[in-house]
């Protein structure tokens, strides 16, 4: 049966100027021509942007001093990178994206959860990229004496969004080219900022003392969670690019690429952190930075925003457009990209002109961490229990309109992984203590947000217990059998049917 994403018969790598035809069906082994270094470039390029800079300003906007904000940033980046790195292991083996790969642990129907989480992340970071790039254009225009008002802002948003659409339509190879440029150009322009702002920066900046959550430690923990949203946000998307890497590469190199890429994001985080101490109102950072910048740096600052907007926007939108087409088989990858991008663009205009965009970003960033982290924990533990063994064809059952296979479980859902995620997400929300979300147990530790530890610990305990008490069928494991957990005979699983082809 033909797949809905029109995968070409040839396995030859496509040219940069050729529209990518690969969808979520397994790409041919011959098309796996990338290296872990390419994964590093895409991951770093997608984060070496103004969107990351904006996240870097938020600890200062929360009321923290420079030293405390820098510590929160370092902790958030490292913790997030450690959680993210194992998500690079799936794509080379399954030759598809991580949402589809998650069908091995959540069921081929239950993997829709991963698609929804990816959609949340993509809309958030695509919106940030278009918003800050558009506002940077407006800010630069103001410095040169041109006042375009809201009309210029709306036009800038539209232009940036169309540019992102164009790159995503061409696909992976074009994205790789853009990020090759973005990594070098964006880094150089940010380093140039040391010259532009070095004379004004004061490392002893003590903050306002007006902490967002009323106390230092609750606010500091909130800052860590906010920073963590950046590396965690890549969890659903690493497979989009890692699937182009042959499975023959070592596990160490696959883990190192995204980890080092996130460590490298300390550059844009540091840019945002230091420059946020220079603007009058960190809550209106983009406009404030345009005013605080020397006139000669106005154009380089605009280039940082434009290059970064393209990089972040494409990495976020490409993956979700790819996955959305698998949930709606009538849409191919290009059509799915346009649908999701159009939805995000509507939210950008609504969020900018009707609501407080900073508060909206904060709310979505925390949700991304709390909902995506336990999903990633289930995936990682499942990978360990399965010894990295995956049945490529059986992962595609739902995408191709079929039933059955090793990952059908109960009506297409593996309740073990799904229940572990649901309980972990609920635990995280119960302990949340953020400006827009306070759970019933949010004040249990004196206002310190315990949502992430609660979510991670719950997933790490419930899932192993579930697969131990209710073993998964033998056929989902490789020739060596399961690691650390038991297995059941295939016939013991209810609703088991053979693959219908």
């Amino acid at each position: 049966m033909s797949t809905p994403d029109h995968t070409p018969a040839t396995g030859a790598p496509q040219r940069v100027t050729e529209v990518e035809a690969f969808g979520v069906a397994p790409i041919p082994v011959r098309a796996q021509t990338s290296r872990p270094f390419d994964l590093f470039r895409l991951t770093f390029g997608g984060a070496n942007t103004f969107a990351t800079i904006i996240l870097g300003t938020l600890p200062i906007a929360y009321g923290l001093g420079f030293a405390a904000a820098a510590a929160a940033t370092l902790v958030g980046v490292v913790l997030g990178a450690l959680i993210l790195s194992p998500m690079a292991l799936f794509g080379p083996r399954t030759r598809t994206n991580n949402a589809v790969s998650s069908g091995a642990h959540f069921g081929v129907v239950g993997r829709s959860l991963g698609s929804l989480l990816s959609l949340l992340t993509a809309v958030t970071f695509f919106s940030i990229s278009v918003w800050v790039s558009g506002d940077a254009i407006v800010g630069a225009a103001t410095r040169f004496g041109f006042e375009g008002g809201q009309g210029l802002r709306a036009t800038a948003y539209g232009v940036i969004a169309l540019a992102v659409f164009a790159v995503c339509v061409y696909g992976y190879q074009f994205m790789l080219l853009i990020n090759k440029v973005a990594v070098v150009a964006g880094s150089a322009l940010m380093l140039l900022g040391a010259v532009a702002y070095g004379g004004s920066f004061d490392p002893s900046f003590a903050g306002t003392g007006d902490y967002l959550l009323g106390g230092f430690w609750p606010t500091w923990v909130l800052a860590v969670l906010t920073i963590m949203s950046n590396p965690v946000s890549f969890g659903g998307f690493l497979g989009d690019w890692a699937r182009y890497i042959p499975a023959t590469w070592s596990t160490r190199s696959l883990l190192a690429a995204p980890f080092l890429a996130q460590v490298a994001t300390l550059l844009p985080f540091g840019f945002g952190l230091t420059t946020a101490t220079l603007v009058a109102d960190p809550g209106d950072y983009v406009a404030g930075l345009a005013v605080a910048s020397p006139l000669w740096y106005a154009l380089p600052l605009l280039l940082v925003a434009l290059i970064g907007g393209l990089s972040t926007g494409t990495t976020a939108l490409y993956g979700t457009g790819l996955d959305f087409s698998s949930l709606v088989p009538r849409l191919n990858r290009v059509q799915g990209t346009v649908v999701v991008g159009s939805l995000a663009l509507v939210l950008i205009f609504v969020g900018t002109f009707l609501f407080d965009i900073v508060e909206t970003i904060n709310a979505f960033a925390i949700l991304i961490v709390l909902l995506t982290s336990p999903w990633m924990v289930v995936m990682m533990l499942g990978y360990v229990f399965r010894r990295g063994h995956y049945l490529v064809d059986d992962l595609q059952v739902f995408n191709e309109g079929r039933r059955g296979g090793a990952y059908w479980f109960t009506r297409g859902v593996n309740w073990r992984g799904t229940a572990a995620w649901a309980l972990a997400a609920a635990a995280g929300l119960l302990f949340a203590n953020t400006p827009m979300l306070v759970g019933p147990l949010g004040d249990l530790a004196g206002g310190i947000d315990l949502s992430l530890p609660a979510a991670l610990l719950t997933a790490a305990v419930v899932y192993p217990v579930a697969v131990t008490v209710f073993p998964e069928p033998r056929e989902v494991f490789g020739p060596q059998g399961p690691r650390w957990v038991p297995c059941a005979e295939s016939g013991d699983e209810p609703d088991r049917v053979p693959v219908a082809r």
Side-chain angles (χ1 to χ4, degrees), residues 32-251:
Q32 291 183 299
T33 56
S34 291
R35 303 166 297 160
F37 184 64
D38 293 322
L39 180 61
F40 170 89
R41 276 193 300 214
L42 278 168
T43 307
F44 178 45
N48 190 38
T49 67
F50 227 98
T52 304
I53 290 173
I54 289 294
L55 289 176
T57 69
L58 293 182
I60 297 294
Y62 294 166
L64 296 175
F66 175 77
T73 299
L74 178 61
V75 171
V77 167
V78 173
L79 286 179
L82 289 172
I83 295 174
L84 170 70
S85 295
M87 301 305 291
L89 301 176
F90 298 91
R93 289 165 171 76
T94 62
R95 309 202 310 277
T96 188
N97 68 350
N98 280 353
V100 174
S101 299
S102 72
H105 307 294
F106 292 89
V108 290
V109 177
R111 69 89 175 164
S112 301
L113 169 63
S115 300
L116 294 175
L117 293 175
S118 297
L119 180 62
L120 170 67
T121 302
V123 169
T124 299
F125 280 86
F126 174 68
S127 300
I128 293 174
S129 66
V130 173
W131 166 57
V132 296
S133 297
D135 281 7
I137 292 175
V138 174
T142 301
R143 286 304 307 272
F144 288 107
F146 180 77
E147 295 288 346
Q150 299 289 50
L152 176 60
R153 176 173 278 103
T155 301
Y157 290 165
V159 170
I160 295 295
L162 288 175
V164 172
F165 283 178
V167 175
C168 290
V169 165
Y170 277 102
Y172 175 78
Q173 294 296 335
F174 204 110
M175 284 175 54
L176 194 57
L177 175 63
I178 290 294
N179 278 278
K180 287 178 181 178
V181 176
V183 167
V184 177
S187 299
L189 291 170
M190 286 183 210
L191 290 172
L192 186 61
V195 178
Y197 306 113
S200 304
F201 170 63
D202 180 8
S204 64
F205 176 79
T208 63
D210 184 16
Y211 298 123
L212 187 63
L213 294 182
F216 173 80
W217 285 112
T219 303
W220 189 85
V221 172
L222 175 66
V224 171
L225 289 176
T226 302
I227 298 301
M228 282 185 66
S229 69
N230 200 56
V232 169
S233 71
F234 283 86
F237 303 132
L238 280 191
D240 303 340
W241 320 314
R243 63 189 181 135
Y244 282 94
I245 302 174
T248 52
W249 282 90
S250 69
T251 298

